[in-house]
Amino acid sequence: MFLGTRRGHFRRSNYSSRIVRPAADGWYPKRGEPHARLAMPVLADMAAPLPGRPLAPCPAAAAGEEFAAPRGRGVRRLSADSKHGRCPACGRSGLLRLDGTLVQHKAAGGVCPGTGQQPRDAAPASWLPVRRGLSPHGLRHGHQTWLDDLGVQEMLKSERMGHEVPGMAGVYGHVMPEWRHRLRTQLQELWEASLRERARLSPRSAVGLVDKLLAPDGAQGMPSAPTLAPLRTSRRVRLKGADGESPV
C-alpha cells in the first residue's frame, strides 16, 4: 500500500526514521553511531504547491545565535550567491554564467529545463506535525474508530481488523456479502470527502498521485463502490492529540 518513489517497498530499517517520524512529528529523529546526527526539523519549499517540495535536512536555528545555512559539496543551497544558484526546475545547486543564469546541467537523463534560467531562492518553511507519536500501527486504531462510528457489525469489523471473535459468537456469527459492499461504499464516501477537504486547502500537490486525485475529475476516475444505503449517517472522526484535535 505504501510504496517508494520507485514503486518498491520501504526497508524496515529506515522507514520509520526517514518517512513516518518526519511526517508525524515534523522532525528527523536523532541518530547515534556510526552515522551520528542531531535531530533536525523537516523543511519544505513553499514556492511549490502545497504541501511544498521537500528540502534536505538542515540544522535547527538556536535562539540568540546567528543562523548559517550549511555549505559544502553535495549540499543543496537554499539561496544564491555570486557563483552558485538554485535551479527552479530540479532544485539542485549549480554554477552561474557571467550573466547570472544557470549553466547547462542534467536531470532525469537529459538537459534540465532550468538550464539558462535565473536561479530561484527557496522559500523554506517548517513542516507542521501531522500528529506527534503517530505510527503505522496507530492507523489501525483510527480505522477501527471509523468502523465503530459507521456502526459496522462486530463480525465484519473483526474480519477487517484480522481478529478472531472468541466464544459462541465466533462460532455462529457470519459475514454477509451485503455488509462488505455497504462498508466499501461508506469508506469510499469518507475517502472522497477527505479529497474535497484537501482540495480546499490547495488544488495542487507536489505528490504526483495526490495531484491527479485533486484534479476536477480525479475522484470520478477512481473505481466506484456499489451504491447501497449506509447503515446511518457517517461523520468525520477526530482524535485529541497533544497539540489539539487532529482529523483522522
Side-chain angles (χ1 to χ4, degrees):
M1 180 175 180
F2 301 103
L3 301 179
T5 55
R6 299 181 181 179
R7 303 188 63 80
H9 292 284
F10 290 100
R11 292 186 301 174
R12 182 180 181 183
S13 59
N14 56 22
Y15 177 60
S16 176
S17 61
R18 292 186 179 182
I19 305 296
V20 179
R21 296 272 55 83
D25 303 335
W27 282 73
Y28 291 98
K30 178 181 178 181
R31 288 196 313 208
E33 299 296 340
H35 305 289
R37 185 188 69 184
L38 297 176
M40 297 184 184
V42 177
L43 299 180
D45 184 3
M46 297 313 297
L50 191 74
R53 177 184 295 172
L55 294 173
C58 186
E65 299 180 8
E66 183 178 356
F67 177 76
R71 295 176 179 266
R73 185 177 181 84
V75 177
R76 297 190 178 187
R77 300 169 184 264
L78 301 182
S79 59
D81 56 24
S82 59
K83 294 183 179 181
H84 303 84
R86 191 169 183 275
C87 177
C90 66
R92 298 178 180 175
S93 303
L95 293 172
L96 299 179
R97 298 168 175 162
L98 294 178
D99 61 357
T101 60
L102 288 159
V103 301
Q104 180 174 313
H105 55 286
K106 295 182 179 181
V111 177
C112 179
T115 297
Q117 296 188 22
Q118 293 289 336
R120 179 186 61 80
D121 290 349
S126 296
W127 174 267
L128 293 178
V130 174
R131 190 170 189 270
R132 290 186 177 91
L134 180 67
S135 66
H137 183 80
L139 297 176
R140 289 172 54 83
H141 292 253
H143 187 68
Q144 177 154 328
T145 304
W146 270 350
L147 300 180
D148 291 338
D149 187 61
L150 294 173
V152 177
Q153 294 84 352
E154 192 65 31
M155 289 300 301
L156 177 58
K157 182 169 58 178
S158 297
E159 177 190 75
R160 186 168 182 86
M161 298 300 295
H163 298 158
E164 292 185 0
V165 178
M168 300 306 294
V171 174
Y172 291 101
H174 302 279
V175 176
M176 297 179 63
E178 290 80 2
W179 296 356
R180 298 192 184 98
H181 291 257
R182 182 160 46 204
L183 178 58
R184 285 177 53 196
T185 301
Q186 294 171 315
L187 293 177
Q188 183 74 14
E189 291 173 353
L190 288 174
W191 167 246
E192 294 180 4
S194 68
L195 288 177
R196 290 192 294 269
E197 184 171 338
R198 170 61 176 79
R200 285 196 292 267
L201 297 175
S202 175
R204 300 298 305 276
S205 172
V207 181
L209 178 59
V210 178
D211 193 60
K212 291 180 181 180
L213 292 174
L214 291 175
D217 58 344
Q220 287 77 2
M222 294 185 297
S224 59
T227 303
L228 297 173
L231 292 176
R232 60 189 180 87
T233 303
S234 62
R235 60 182 182 275
R236 299 183 70 250
V237 182
R238 306 185 73 89
L239 296 181
K240 188 76 171 180
D243 51 349
E245 291 185 346
S246 301
V248 177

